[in-house]
Amino acid sequence: MAAGIERIDFKGLPALRLGAGNGASAVVSLFGGQVLSWTPPSGQERLYLSPAARFDGSTPIRGGIPVCFPQFADLGPLPQHGFARTANWSVLNERSGEGYALATLGLRDDDATRALWPHAFTAELSVLVEDARLDLEFEVTNTGGEGFDFTAALHTYLAVREVEEARVEGLHGYSYRDKADANRIGRDSGDVLLIEAETDRVYHGVERPLLLREYDRSLGINNADGFVDVAVWNPWVERSAAIADLPDDAFRRMLCIEAAAARQPVQLAAGKSWWGRQTLVAL
């Protein structure tokens, strides 16, 4: 599509379509502040969106890049992955030019969020499409008078052609918490990570870029700033069949490689801001 940003209806939900002018595009839902599609200039969709995802404006959308805030997974008393992914975000800024499109969405506390989590905050998600890159920046500001803690993630569902043929490079030597193995702590000792069974790991303190290799294509993944952890998730056969909004064979076509701040909660003082970034580059 041509460079620019247009407001669209995506399966009944308001959304933005970002075009970079070179064939690259992305779709961002205002419900959840969630990227639902990213197509680099090659024309191949690189995010997985479940064919069984629900778009009712209240259920979390299965796929794309959900925003997990102010709680990652079940690491606390809030609903799974917090409330940001089921909140309605507003458009704060739109910019586009030759070869790029940038949109910033915002979320702030209200009666519904304070009933779950009694803190004043603003959150912003900036989405940039440029050439073969998708850049996301997530920023949280404490607008209240007291400090608070949170965990967060960009729960990125990547589309793969066959997960058993995919290779993840860059995690060698890092420790991880393995939820699929009773939360035991392990250390990655292989040159590549292969997905051959249910995988649900949070790697700690990952400081190098990652590479997802498939057949004739690769994807560079760089998590930066506050996102110091990497979550890797694939539900495999039994869990995929048990999840209502995933097809039984969905595990073959998806792999979540997530930018996360999960091992240690972020402590944010009154008036201060925190941010984390994730960059995907189609190679």
Side-chain angles (χ1 to χ4, degrees):
M1 63 175 285
I5 299 174
E6 59 177 322
R7 302 204 175 208
I8 64 170
D9 178 287
F10 189 90
K11 299 185 183 295
L13 296 177
L16 300 178
R17 178 179 285 123
L18 285 62
N22 60 355
S25 67
V27 173
V28 188
S29 169
L30 302 191
F31 174 72
Q34 186 164 336
V35 180
L36 299 178
S37 170
W38 170 50
T39 305
S42 67
Q44 298 176 340
E45 176 64 58
R46 302 307 293 267
L47 299 181
Y48 177 83
L49 183 62
S50 172
R54 298 169 186 160
F55 296 90
D56 59 11
S58 61
T59 305
I61 300 170
R62 177 73 65 180
I65 308 179
V67 177
C68 303
F69 172 83
Q71 177 180 296
F72 173 69
D74 55 0
L75 301 179
L78 297 177
Q80 175 93 352
H81 291 317
F83 51 69
R85 64 180 183 154
T86 54
N88 291 307
W89 294 56
S90 58
V91 179
L92 301 181
N93 188 32
E94 301 176 40
R95 291 206 314 271
S96 61
E98 188 63 35
Y100 81 92
L102 169 67
T104 300
L105 305 187
L107 179 68
R108 62 186 313 126
D109 62 284
D110 58 20
D111 290 344
T113 69
R114 289 190 296 270
L116 292 169
W117 193 64
H119 301 291
F121 73 93
T122 60
E124 295 185 6
L125 179 73
S126 295
V127 182
L128 172 68
V129 179
E130 186 175 23
D131 195 27
R133 297 163 57 98
L134 178 70
D135 283 293
L136 296 97
E137 179 175 302
F138 181 55
E139 181 175 359
V140 178
T141 300
N142 182 344
T143 58
E146 298 181 351
F148 58 66
D149 297 349
F150 66 90
T151 52
L154 299 176
H155 196 310
T156 305
Y157 285 73
L158 299 174
V160 296
R161 291 166 175 166
E162 175 51 68
V163 74
E164 290 179 270
E165 300 296 329
R167 306 284 188 270
V168 182
E169 300 178 6
L171 292 170
H172 174 81
Y174 287 113
S175 297
Y176 60 85
R177 175 177 58 83
D178 192 345
K179 189 175 180 181
D181 188 22
N183 286 317
R184 291 183 173 87
I185 302 298
R187 181 176 292 273
D188 201 300
S189 59
D191 292 334
V192 298
L193 173 64
L194 305 178
I195 307 301
E196 301 171 312
E198 181 184 350
T199 303
D200 196 346
R201 299 177 176 181
V202 175
Y203 286 82
H204 304 147
V206 178
E207 297 178 339
R208 67 174 77 103
L210 309 179
L211 187 65
L212 173 62
R213 289 189 183 273
E214 300 181 82
Y215 301 119
D216 59 344
R217 69 179 189 178
S218 298
L219 186 73
I221 304 163
N222 187 29
N223 302 333
D225 297 315
F227 285 132
V228 295
D229 303 318
V230 172
V232 180
W233 180 65
N234 182 282
W236 208 244
V237 180
E238 290 184 5
R239 286 210 61 205
S240 189
I243 295 173
D245 54 0
L246 273 181
D248 289 356
D249 63 349
F251 72 96
R252 296 190 179 279
R253 306 289 173 243
M254 54 156 280
L255 178 60
C256 290
I257 302 180
E258 310 164 35
R263 184 188 184 194
Q264 297 290 339
V266 176
Q267 298 182 338
L268 196 60
K272 298 298 184 180
S273 296
W274 168 97
W275 57 88
R277 294 183 178 91
Q278 183 179 64
T279 299
L280 306 178
V281 183
L283 304 172

